[in-house]
Amino acid sequence: LKRADLILLTRGELRNPDPIEKQVRSINPRAQVFHSSTALRGLIEAGSGELRSAAAYLDGPVCAFCGIGNPGAFFSDLRRWGFTISAEIAFRDHHIYGPDDMRRLQAAAQSSGALAFMTTEKDIMNLSPQWKSDLPVLACRIQPEISDARAFVETLLARVSPLEWRKKTVSAV
């Protein structure tokens, strides 16, 4: 942090970023600090890979599952985006889904009245190709949104201009 010229604070939608920014600025008062949040760009259907509109799934309950480092953030995002979660199932990070997991997910969806499964793009890659579900299995296509994207890009490009890059590379050699 002390050496950074530019700092991007992510996941600002989860909590007030001011305390973190204050701490960052106490370590490095000269760096420019930017903020980002996570935006939903659509849903990808697991079987076909087709992009689906999220609006079609906002009316009914979904069974949400993931195997990521911060599953609570994913479940929170789903609610923030307007989904009704009837069941939440978290697995360890980088989980590879086997037959027992598939049965567990099917049972949770059935008992909770879910109309679809909702997961992450990372998790959809770890599903068993043999898993067949009567319910749609959808992955959230997300994208970071930087609060002042134009200034962020301008600042970033100014810091990595070709001339500066060459100077730093030559002096390091």
Side-chain angles (χ1 to χ4, degrees):
L1 280 175
K2 286 180 183 180
R3 297 181 315 178
D5 295 316
L6 184 144
I7 297 168
L8 179 62
L9 301 177
T10 61
R11 307 292 292 173
E13 72 276 10
L14 295 179
R15 66 187 63 82
N16 179 359
D18 293 342
I20 294 170
E21 182 173 346
K22 184 178 178 181
Q23 185 177 10
V24 165
R25 289 190 184 283
S26 73
I27 296 167
N28 185 341
R30 65 173 181 71
Q32 287 189 262
V33 178
F34 293 89
H35 299 263
S36 75
S37 60
T38 304
L40 179 65
R41 292 292 176 236
L43 302 172
I44 301 168
E45 203 280 317
S48 67
E50 291 178 18
L51 195 59
R52 303 277 173 98
S53 167
Y57 298 94
L58 294 177
D59 291 337
V62 298
C63 178
F65 71 95
C66 63
I68 60 175
N70 186 355
F74 174 64
F75 300 140
S76 176
D77 282 342
L78 289 174
R79 287 187 182 86
R80 186 172 53 85
W81 296 327
F83 294 101
T84 301
I85 301 174
S86 59
E88 289 180 9
I89 303 160
F91 295 90
R92 70 185 185 289
D93 197 11
H94 303 285
H95 186 69
I96 304 296
Y97 298 89
D100 289 341
D101 302 317
M102 302 296 111
R103 284 189 285 279
R104 178 179 171 202
L105 290 169
Q106 292 281 47
Q110 186 175 20
S111 67
S112 69
L115 301 177
F117 288 102
M118 199 71 60
T119 192
T120 70
E121 282 189 274
K122 175 182 168 183
D123 285 290
I124 211 166
M125 297 302 185
N126 292 328
L127 293 176
S128 170
Q130 289 80 30
W131 186 29
K132 303 294 182 227
S133 172
D134 294 336
L135 301 178
V137 181
L138 305 161
C140 295
R141 168 148 296 163
I142 61 170
Q143 178 179 344
E145 279 188 350
I146 299 173
S147 59
D148 191 355
R150 181 182 204 112
F152 175 80
V153 170
E154 288 172 0
T155 302
L156 180 63
L157 291 176
R159 298 291 191 269
V160 293
S161 71
L163 183 58
E164 283 297 313
W165 185 257
R166 268 189 250 121
K167 283 183 196 175
K168 290 179 182 177
T169 306
V170 171
S171 67
V173 174

